[in-house]
Every structure is written in C-alpha cells, then in structure tokens.
Amino acid sequence: MATHTTKMLIIGSGPAGYSAAIYAARAMLEPIVVQGLQPGGQLTITTDVENYPGFRDVVQGPWLMEEMRQQAEHVGTRMMWDTIVTVDLDHGSPFRAIGDSGDEYIADCVVICTGAQAKWLGVPGEMELGGKGVSACATCDGFFYRGKTVAVIGGGNTAVEEALYLTNHSDNVTLIHRRDSLRAERILQERLFANPKITVLWNKAVDSFEAGANGMLHHLALTDTVTAEASTLEVDGAFVAIGHAPATSLFAGKLPMDDNGYLLTEPGTPKTVIPGVFAAGDVTDHVYRQAVTAAGMGCMAALDGERFLAARQHAVHEAVAAE
C-alpha cells in the first residue's frame, strides 16, 4: 500500500479522462489517472470508429484509446492500474480516495470520468455478435448499415430516437417492443408512427441474436409476450436501446444526481456542487454520449480545475500578504 499525492486526480479513463489528463499535464498539474475496471472506456469494445475528428479513414476504438493514453503519459500523466472504491469529498480539498489495491490518493481537485455503460438484454449471441451486427449506439454505428435492414429493441425515448436516426441510412427499420405501447414522449411517438420507413413489432421479446454462415448477425429469435408464439426476423443490424447506466454508485449520497443516476453539474460546465470536484463525459451526459463530446468535457474539466487551483493559491497569497 502506498500514498500518492497529486494536484488533480482523474477517476476513470476513456476520452473524457484521457483528455482531462492531457490538458492537466500540460498545465503542470502532475495528474494521476486511476483507470478503473475498463481502461479506455466503452471505445475499447467498439471496432470501427468513423466519426472521431482528425481521421479520414476508419480507426479502431481500442487503438484510438491506446493513442490517447500514450499521449497523456507522454506529456506527464501518471497512469494507475487501480479502481477507486471509496472517496471522501465531504471535507473539501484536499480530497482523499482509496483504491481497490489499498493505495491512498490525495488530490487538490478531482475529475470524475467514470462513464456509463449501455444496458443489455443478457440473451445468447448479444455479446458474441457485438461489432458483428449488434450494437448499442445507432449514432456511432448506423452509418455502417446504409441501405440495409435494421432493428431497434426498446420502447423508451432512446429506442424511438435511435429508430428515427437510422432512417437516415436505412429504408427498412423495425422497432421491437415487448409491450403494446411505448414509454417514449408523445411527440417522439408521433414522429415514429408518421415515418413510413419504420415498422413496429408489438409484444415481442428478443430471445437470441443468431449468426449466419459468415459469422455476422443474420436474424433475431423472437417470442410473442402474449401468445408465446416463436418467430424470427432477418436483419443486418440490431441496436439494443434500453438505456444506459452511469457508473456513479461510488458517489451515491456524496454528489447530486438526476433520477437516472447521472451526476448533476452547473449548466454548461463540468462543475459539481463541491468546489474542486468536476464531472466529465458520459457520467454526466445522457443526451449526446459521444467520444468527441466526452473529450471536450474532459478538456473543460481540466481547465476549470486549473482555474480552481490558481484561485485557491491566489487566495492563500493574499491572506499571507494581509498578515
């Protein structure tokens, strides 16, 4: 067990954490990134990335995250293979956190970048066909299904929005919902029902995702939730859209959250209610959830952290000068 001190502790990695680290290191804040259980975040389980600025050709998610990590290290970030299990924010700066390793981290400011994970159905073939026809992000992967047959699974705002988005690429979109009515907002439902490219399958549950001879998704195995009748639906792509779960259990009772567990920040900033504690990326963003927006928020958090530390140092100097 050891004690690590830093001006900025970044909890979690991915685009938000690594971007915060790059900016913090360049500001001589000597940041420490505790990478967590999934270093690199959700992009490490994403294959083709075609919408991150700066790359003309498709790049691989794991490669992109590895490049960000190495860039952060190159400018002076310390990467820790650890997971924060407890954090003390109640007593203000300096903040104290304990890792699963038993190591202690003392930081003048904290940037929370623990991210969020898509909720999955938990049925056969779902994980095995990830990146081979099964996805949880139409905005990320819909472009790869231009002119193809796709399905969206879910009945809330996320599912309806994903189905509507996919009509930009496909003329054959099927929304599959296990009930006979949607939970989405009325305005979204009206747009969905008015779109001739979308068909809704009511009272259908997905039992499994089945591959074809080429190893890619071929069809969905369905069961009628009313009659128990089995059926199949041939698709090229299937998007699971049953929501996301932010990784915020560590901060329960310590920081304000919305009803879905996302950290609340001052509008337009990464500032939480505790001075010196910032949140960036999917842990606070349930609307956009993109690598580029997460990276931008990580940058903002590092810049605000730098300003917080500079203001505090200036206040100390003023107090000393007044004595």
Side-chain angles (χ1 to χ4, degrees):
M1 293 184 291
T3 298
H4 310 279
T5 59
T6 177
K7 295 176 183 176
M8 179 177 289
L9 174 65
I10 300 167
I11 304 176
S13 44
Y18 290 153
S19 295
I22 291 166
Y23 275 81
R26 287 174 55 83
M28 308 304 290
L29 299 184
E30 302 172 338
I32 290 177
V33 173
V34 179
Q35 298 187 83
L37 293 173
Q38 189 179 24
Q42 293 187 75
L43 275 185
T44 60
I45 58 172
T46 301
T47 51
D48 294 343
V49 177
E50 200 170 28
N51 57 4
Y52 197 86
F55 300 96
R56 179 181 57 189
D57 297 321
V58 174
V59 298
Q60 299 299 299
W63 175 86
L64 181 59
M65 288 300 92
E66 178 63 14
E67 289 294 302
M68 284 192 185
R69 182 187 67 80
Q70 292 193 26
Q71 183 181 4
E73 287 185 309
H74 179 71
V75 291
T77 301
R78 293 175 59 195
M79 295 289 172
M80 305 299 294
W81 295 91
D82 203 354
T83 302
I84 299 298
V85 293
T86 63
V87 60
D88 181 5
L89 304 178
D90 296 336
H91 299 93
S93 179
F95 303 99
R96 178 176 178 267
I98 303 295
D100 183 63
S101 65
D103 284 9
E104 180 181 47
Y105 300 87
I106 307 295
D108 294 328
C109 69
V110 173
V111 179
I112 301 167
C113 303
T114 47
Q117 293 185 334
K119 295 179 182 178
W120 296 96
L121 297 172
V123 300
E126 188 174 41
M127 294 296 101
E128 294 84 349
L129 292 173
K132 299 178 181 179
V134 178
S135 171
C137 182
T139 309
C140 309
D141 300 329
F143 184 74
F144 300 112
Y145 297 91
R146 300 184 302 278
K148 297 185 178 181
T149 300
V150 296
V152 177
I153 301 138
N157 285 353
T158 299
V160 174
E161 288 170 349
E162 299 249 296
L164 290 167
Y165 172 80
L166 285 168
T167 60
N168 295 317
H169 305 295
S170 171
D171 293 334
N172 192 342
V173 179
T174 300
L175 180 70
I176 303 171
H177 187 39
R178 61 183 300 112
R179 299 181 177 84
D180 61 2
S181 62
L182 300 174
R183 304 186 313 277
E185 296 173 1
R186 181 60 57 184
I187 185 67
L188 289 175
Q189 293 191 43
E190 291 175 356
R191 290 174 57 197
L192 180 89
F193 297 139
N195 196 309
K197 297 180 180 180
I198 300 175
T199 301
V200 180
L201 286 184
W202 302 107
N203 299 316
K204 294 291 189 294
V206 177
D207 292 329
S208 64
F209 298 84
E210 302 293 337
N214 61 357
M216 304 295 287
L217 177 67
H218 179 264
H219 67 270
L220 310 179
L222 308 174
T223 296
D224 192 291
T225 57
V226 176
T227 67
E229 179 184 359
S231 61
T232 62
L233 178 68
E234 291 190 11
V235 293
D236 299 301
F239 296 84
V240 179
I242 57 175
H244 286 72
T248 54
S249 58
L250 178 64
F251 308 101
K254 303 177 186 295
L255 289 169
M257 305 178 187
D258 67 12
D259 293 340
N260 295 311
Y262 289 88
L263 294 179
L264 296 176
T265 58
E266 180 182 314
T269 81
K271 299 175 183 177
T272 71
V273 296
I274 298 179
V277 178
F278 309 90
D282 287 6
V283 75
T284 186
D285 173 21
H286 60 84
V287 177
Y288 301 104
R289 297 195 303 266
Q290 299 298 302
V292 66
T293 53
M297 294 171 70
C299 162
M300 293 162 63
L303 294 175
D304 279 345
E306 180 187 6
R307 294 178 182 124
F308 166 78
L309 296 175
R312 194 178 67 162
Q313 185 177 28
H314 178 73
V316 170
H317 289 163
E318 289 286 299
V320 170
E323 291 180 356

